[in-house]
Amino acid sequence: MKSIAIFCGSALGTDPIYLKMAQLVGQTLAQHQITLVYGGGRSGLMGMVADSALQAGGKVIGVIPKQLVDRELAHPDLTELHIVENMHERKTQMSELADGFIAIPGGAGTLEEIFEQWTWAQLGIHQKPCAFLNVDGFYDDLLKFIQTTVDKGFTHQRFSSSLIASDGIEEILQQFKAYVPPQPKWGMADQQNLVKRA
């Protein structure tokens, strides 16, 4: 795996453990010679992940909308900075640049980004792994809700099972190496299930 996209908050959060984990993620990717792909900002956990990777000698690629560059939010010291027209282009380009996706703590933007990539994986648009770095139980309730969508018949178990969750970045990297993508949605099993219901 040559590159990983990190989705995370543009704020630091209320617990110092989030900052420490963001720094560890950046350092770990650099140590494994994995390029960090991220949103290109210099604030919050986003900036900390990038700074830590750069300080550890890693390569960092940022992808940021022009509007945020105009607000002087772009990180000035990245290996590469791609400026795009809007958020849709940003997410598409990050998806193309990365071999896998990890969400560390963040808010609505973080969730939107990781869920879009997980959805694309379900549809077979890509076959790349998605993961939650569950720092200090940050994503516990969300992961329970995902299981609820399985229990209620809205998510197939194979897609829930393919979503990686761990409180350790090294564990996630190991699972990424062993990742086997699930059969895309609307494969034969799904079509047969529709026939049975009809």
Side-chain angles (χ1 to χ4, degrees), residues 21-90:
M21 184 57 73
Q23 292 172 327
L24 179 61
V25 168
Q27 293 166 1
T28 301
L29 294 183
Q31 289 166 2
H32 285 272
Q33 297 183 323
I34 297 172
T35 297
L36 165 64
V37 178
Y38 87 117
R42 58 184 173 86
S43 63
L45 297 185
M46 291 176 66
M48 290 299 155
V49 171
D51 286 341
S52 298
L54 291 168
Q55 290 166 8
K59 182 179 179 182
V60 180
I61 300 175
V63 185
I64 190 168
K66 184 178 183 298
Q67 184 181 22
L68 297 183
V69 175
D70 293 342
R71 294 179 185 177
E72 299 184 351
L73 294 173
H75 197 299
D77 301 317
L78 304 180
T79 311
E80 297 177 22
L81 180 63
H82 299 257
I83 300 174
V84 296
E85 288 299 318
N86 52 54
M87 293 292 289
H88 297 293
E89 288 186 19
R90 175 202 233 178

Side-chain angles (χ1 to χ4, degrees), residues 117 127 133 145:
Q117 295 306 325
Q127 295 185 317
L133 183 54
F145 178 73

Side-chain angles (χ1 to χ4, degrees), residues 154-185:
F154 291 102
T155 302
H156 197 285
Q157 184 64 56
R158 70 181 185 274
F159 299 130
S160 174
S161 298
S162 72
L163 189 60
I164 296 163
S166 173
D167 61 1
I169 182 62
E170 290 284 1
E171 170 65 21
I172 288 176
L173 294 182
Q174 287 300 315
Q175 291 196 51
F176 273 18
K177 289 181 181 179
Y179 178 75
V180 177
Q183 179 189 17
K185 194 172 184 179

Side-chain angles (χ1 to χ4, degrees), residues 2 10 17 29 52 57 66 89 113 122 133 145 148 151 175 190-191:
K2 296 180 180 180
S10 58
I17 194 171
L29 294 183
S52 298
K66 184 178 183 298
E89 288 186 19
E113 289 171 323
Q122 293 180 42
L133 183 54
F145 178 73
T148 297
D151 297 340
Q175 291 196 51
D190 299 293
Q191 293 176 20

